[in-house]
Amino acid sequence: MRTPFLFLLFFFSLHAYAQPQTSAPTGSLKGTVENAKTKANVHVVQVSITHAVTGEKKSVLTNYYGKYFFEDLEPGIYAVQTYHGNYYDTLLLNVAVLADSATKMKIKIRAREVPVVVVNVSLHPPDNLYEITYDDEGPDLPFYSGTWWTEENISTAGYDLLAFQHLLVNPGKVKRLEISIPPHGKIPPEIAQFTQLERLRISFYGSPVLTDELWKLSRLKKLNIHSDMPLTVPPGIKELQQLEELIFSCKELQPLPDEFAQLKSIRILSLNSCGLTAVPPPIAGLTRLRWLSMNGNKLKTVPAFLTGLTELRSLGLSYNELPEIPAEISRLIKLEELYLENNRLITLPPEIGQLTSLRQLTLEKNQLTVLPESFGKLEKLTSLQLEQNRLRELPASVGQMTALTFIFASGNNLASLPREVGMLTQLTEVDLKNNKITVLPVEIGNWRKLEQLTLSGNRLITLPASVGQLDSLTRLFLLGNPLRQLPAEITGLKKLECLELEKLGLLQLPDTTWNFINKFGYIISGVPDSIAGKPVSYYLKHPDIDPFSKKFVQGKLSFTGDSVTKIVLNKISQANRDVLPFYFFIMHTCMQEDHSPGRDPDFIFYAYHQLREAAAHFVLTRPCTFCAAIKSKEYAEFYDLWRSFITCSMGAYTENADQQIKAGYARLKKNCGSKYAEEYEELIREIFCSGKG
């Protein structure tokens, strides 16, 4: 066994570990989390540790960021139990000399070969988790995590020495292990002693080398290898005959050895983001494979041998460079999931309709212009994802896909829907935004289970009266459509919680329908008697005030995220002195409205940001008017409110921002000289997130 090095542990990371001695006792040593308190304005957990021989308890303090504070402890062996929110850690500590100066966050080792182990105390497990699971006969040590440091590796986080002595007391009890290997590190040879190991994850932070010790783990069922560098798989992997799940994640997977095909027990194989340009031929021998994922590679073809894996239930080929899918795909008759998004597909073979076991199919972000009529034979499909293609229409046969609950087809060129979509009575969500749809079929009224319908960014002028039959509908999105009419039946949508549409062309709706759509937004409560000392009637009759703004102040127009709202908010930048108080009133009323997350998030996003942009635009284009008003007695109380709304409203400082700022200064100088220069500079910094003044 290797003798531990004398080393200096300097840690600004989350945890620091060294090698425990083999003589460390096991069993009944315990400690408890006693209390939480505050030290130096950070969350601190106090942990009680117990000396193995004397039974004396001492305390270890750790702040929320993983730095450690120690009281005086004698060298010896301790045990500690730390609570992580949902589980406990019970670990042995071989303690040497602890920090004599906690503020320096340093541990000094005396001139004796005694290592130190520091236990993580955190509300959340760390990223570089080193996990151990015992069977029922051994102690319960679910998580063990940390970082090793040596004199040679003092500035690099990772495991430079992986000592398993604390486990090797009874290695046959270890069933699961997760380890991390630092740059220039290697898999510890002791790993071969874990003869009962069933699950192993190894993360390499340098060049990965799979050593022969791995192939001695004959009971291994799940193996996960992660690296950001090229990975070579040795022929010895064939020895893992009980392996059922294998995951490789690396920058570039070198050609797999022919012996790889001998892994007959593999059911799950993941080769995501491995830099593959072709499907590795040895995969053809994995005839029992049920789940194969090769997403995020550079595959340009689907080889014929891949379609010979007839036991496949799930196949992932997303984010590759596939221009087509071969007709032989029809051989995968047991396939339930097929992931093809973000490829270069222009068409699909008619044979895809023979995959009658499919339940999920993803085709978004391709170049599809048409779907084969055989598509309708996918009668078990529950989710259809077609976003961001070039589809001009959906086949009538889509009506046969009666198990569908979701249709996502946004960002295509659809001009209409086939009447047969009315047969899809199990639908709960349909997203057709950003198409060219001009009319909807009456048959959509059969979507009685539909909860969300998204039609934003189309060319709809009205909706069919049957929309009133959508009893379960809670969210309806229609922004970006040139609506001119709505059926009275829309008022029958009793469960509707969110409605987004353009009201600009709907001002002539009957009162009942108008009042229904108007309630989805902020409506002013209580019309004021006067504004800035003048009766409100003065403004409501004023010819220089637009009709939309008058409706808003009268409580007849809701504040939402549509174009009408934008018109009203931006009027303040055009208002003359006589009507300016009226528009100040609108801005202040909207600013003081509840914009909390409890409101509909889409309402918040559109309406709130329109308000911020309108406020910033007013400050930039009419600096003298704004500064003069906000300095006045009447509006001074709103200054902080304006600042909160304009802060970062125009984003970070850019060249375009520079042009706007210079134009603003020019207006300021022309209209009021340098009177408000200081105030304007402060506001500019707010608008552009500390941009130049």
Side-chain angles (χ1 to χ4, degrees), residues 30-312:
K30 295 181 179 180
T32 58
V33 175
E34 292 184 342
N35 64 305
K37 59 184 180 180
T38 300
K39 182 170 183 176
N41 296 320
V42 294
H43 184 68
V44 175
V45 177
Q46 180 173 328
V47 181
S48 173
I49 64 177
T50 307
H51 195 282
V53 179
T54 66
E56 182 181 4
K57 290 187 176 182
K58 294 289 185 179
S59 296
V60 179
L61 298 179
T62 172
N63 67 22
Y64 189 77
Y65 302 100
K67 294 182 178 179
Y68 299 86
F69 303 94
F70 295 87
E71 297 179 0
D72 291 334
L73 291 175
E74 293 297 324
I77 299 171
Y78 295 81
V80 61
Q81 185 180 69
T82 65
Y83 181 58
H84 287 259
N86 295 317
Y87 50 82
Y88 285 90
D89 277 359
T90 304
L91 301 172
L92 296 177
L93 282 77
N94 291 310
V95 179
V97 178
L98 302 171
D100 55 359
S101 177
T103 57
K104 294 182 179 179
M105 302 314 303
K106 183 182 297 184
I107 298 180
K108 297 181 179 179
I109 303 301
R110 287 179 180 167
R112 49 185 298 189
E113 296 181 358
V114 180
V116 171
V117 176
V118 180
V119 180
N120 171 49
V121 181
S122 171
L123 298 180
H124 305 285
D127 293 334
N128 53 343
L129 208 58
Y130 177 22
E131 182 175 326
I132 304 157
T133 302
Y134 287 83
D135 64 15
D136 294 336
E137 297 179 3
D140 182 17
L141 299 180
F143 292 96
Y144 173 69
S145 56
T147 301
W148 288 84
W149 300 81
T150 69
E151 291 178 332
E152 295 78 19
N153 193 28
I154 198 166
S155 62
T156 305
Y159 295 87
D160 198 49
L161 295 174
L162 285 176
F164 295 109
Q165 282 78 6
H166 57 292
L167 296 175
L168 292 174
V169 173
N170 200 343
K173 301 299 183 182
V174 181
K175 303 293 185 181
R176 178 176 176 177
L177 185 63
E178 298 192 9
I179 59 177
S180 297
I181 312 297
H184 312 298
K186 63 179 182 179
I187 298 174
E190 293 92 337
I191 199 170
Q193 298 185 41
F194 298 103
T195 56
Q196 303 302 308
L197 199 63
E198 296 179 356
R199 299 176 63 178
L200 174 62
R201 174 186 171 91
I202 305 178
S203 298
F204 289 93
Y205 291 94
S207 297
V209 178
L210 304 183
T211 55
D212 291 342
E213 286 81 9
L214 286 179
W215 319 136
K216 298 177 182 179
L217 304 175
S218 59
R219 293 182 177 272
L220 204 60
K221 294 181 179 180
K222 297 183 180 181
L223 176 61
N224 186 331
I225 305 294
H226 172 80
S227 174
D228 293 329
M229 301 184 73
L231 174 67
T232 298
V233 179
I237 196 171
K238 67 180 180 181
E239 303 299 331
L240 303 181
Q241 286 298 304
Q242 293 192 36
L243 199 63
E244 298 176 357
E245 178 178 323
L246 178 59
I247 300 174
F248 288 143
S249 176
C250 59
K251 181 179 181 180
E252 182 180 347
L253 183 64
Q254 301 300 313
L256 294 175
D258 293 340
E259 290 83 355
F260 190 83
Q262 299 179 30
L263 297 175
K264 300 299 184 181
S265 296
I266 286 190
R267 304 291 190 273
I268 297 174
L269 177 61
S270 174
L271 303 177
N272 293 334
S273 303
C274 285
L276 297 174
T277 57
V279 179
I283 290 179
L286 308 181
T287 54
R288 297 181 182 179
L289 203 60
R290 292 184 172 226
W291 193 94
L292 175 60
S293 183
M294 293 183 289
N295 300 320
N297 286 289
K298 302 175 183 178
L299 302 177
K300 294 180 173 60
T301 60
V302 177
F305 69 75
L306 189 63
T307 62
L309 301 176
T310 55
E311 294 299 315
L312 275 181

Side-chain angles (χ1 to χ4, degrees), residues 333-627:
I333 58 175
K334 296 182 180 181
L335 204 60
E336 299 177 1
E337 301 172 352
L338 180 56
Y339 302 96
L340 295 169
E341 69 261 33
N342 214 317
N343 276 282
R344 300 175 181 177
L345 302 176
I346 298 175
T347 61
L348 295 175
E351 289 80 3
I352 198 170
Q354 298 178 35
L355 302 180
T356 54
S357 296
L358 272 186
R359 298 181 183 276
Q360 183 165 353
L361 175 62
T362 63
L363 290 164
E364 64 265 34
K365 297 181 181 179
N366 280 284
Q367 302 170 30
L368 298 171
T369 58
V370 65
L371 298 176
E373 194 65 28
S374 62
F375 209 68
K377 296 180 180 179
L378 306 178
E379 297 181 2
K380 293 183 179 180
L381 207 64
T382 60
S383 177
L384 181 57
Q385 295 172 241
L386 300 166
E387 304 102 303
Q388 299 184 48
N389 278 279
R390 301 173 184 177
L391 295 170
R392 295 185 295 271
E393 62 181 4
L394 297 179
S397 63
V398 74
Q400 302 171 31
M401 304 165 73
T402 53
L404 280 177
T405 57
F406 302 99
I407 294 179
F408 303 108
S410 63
N412 282 280
N413 296 318
L414 300 175
S416 62
L417 299 178
R419 297 177 57 186
E420 288 78 5
V421 296
M423 301 170 64
L424 307 179
T425 57
Q426 300 302 309
L427 286 173
T428 60
E429 182 175 353
V430 174
D431 185 349
L432 298 168
K433 65 176 175 289
N434 298 331
N435 277 280
K436 300 177 181 179
I437 300 173
T438 57
V439 63
L440 294 173
V442 173
E443 287 77 9
I444 70 167
N446 295 330
W447 296 347
R448 307 299 287 269
K449 295 183 179 181
L450 195 68
E451 298 175 5
Q452 178 167 320
L453 177 58
T454 304
L455 295 164
S456 306
N458 279 282
R459 301 175 181 179
L460 295 169
I461 296 175
T462 188
L463 300 178
S466 58
V467 73
Q469 300 172 24
L470 304 179
D471 304 327
S472 301
L473 197 64
T474 60
R475 301 172 70 81
L476 176 58
F477 301 103
L478 296 165
L479 276 177
N481 284 280
L483 294 170
R484 293 293 178 267
Q485 187 59 256
L486 286 177
E489 288 79 2
I490 196 172
T491 61
L493 299 177
K494 304 302 183 184
K495 293 186 178 181
L496 199 62
E497 299 173 357
C498 176
L499 173 62
E500 291 184 4
L501 46 68
E502 292 286 354
K503 297 190 289 292
L504 188 59
L506 300 174
L507 297 178
Q508 305 304 317
L509 285 177
D511 289 345
T512 302
T513 308
W514 175 261
N515 291 337
F516 176 79
I517 68 171
N518 202 40
K519 70 180 182 179
F520 297 98
Y522 168 58
I523 300 176
I524 188 172
S525 57
V527 180
D529 295 327
S530 64
I531 297 175
K534 294 181 180 179
V536 72
S537 58
Y538 170 81
Y539 296 104
L540 296 178
K541 296 176 182 179
H542 203 293
D544 293 337
I545 295 179
D546 67 284
F548 301 125
S549 299
K550 292 177 181 178
K551 281 182 173 290
F552 174 75
V553 172
Q554 290 176 302
K556 298 179 180 180
L557 178 68
S558 59
F559 173 53
T560 62
D562 68 342
S563 60
V564 174
T565 298
K566 189 172 183 178
I567 290 172
V568 172
L569 294 175
N570 284 313
K571 283 293 182 179
I572 192 170
S573 295
Q574 307 164 18
N576 59 45
R577 180 172 298 187
D578 195 27
V579 299
L580 190 60
F582 184 82
Y583 289 102
F584 262 118
F585 170 78
I586 290 177
M587 294 294 287
H588 295 159
T589 300
C590 293
M591 285 179 178
Q592 295 177 93
E593 160 58 5
D594 178 18
H595 300 286
S596 66
R599 298 292 299 272
D600 178 73
D602 297 291
F603 169 85
I604 295 299
F605 179 81
Y606 292 113
Y608 180 69
H609 288 282
Q610 283 187 358
L611 179 58
R612 282 164 48 83
E613 289 177 3
H617 185 261
F618 177 49
V619 174
L620 285 171
T621 57
R622 301 184 68 179
C624 288
T625 302
F626 174 76
C627 290

Side-chain angles (χ1 to χ4, degrees), residues 636-677:
E637 64 179 295
F638 297 106
Y639 180 66
D640 288 338
L641 187 62
W642 276 85
R643 285 188 59 183
S644 68
F645 269 83
I646 67 174
T647 299
C648 298
S649 56
M650 294 294 187
Y653 184 82
T654 62
E655 183 177 350
N656 181 55
D658 188 49
Q659 296 173 358
Q660 294 187 61
I661 292 170
K662 289 179 179 178
Y665 273 117
R667 297 187 193 97
L668 189 74
K669 184 175 181 180
K670 178 181 178 180
N671 297 320
C672 51
S674 59
K675 184 176 181 181
Y676 299 115

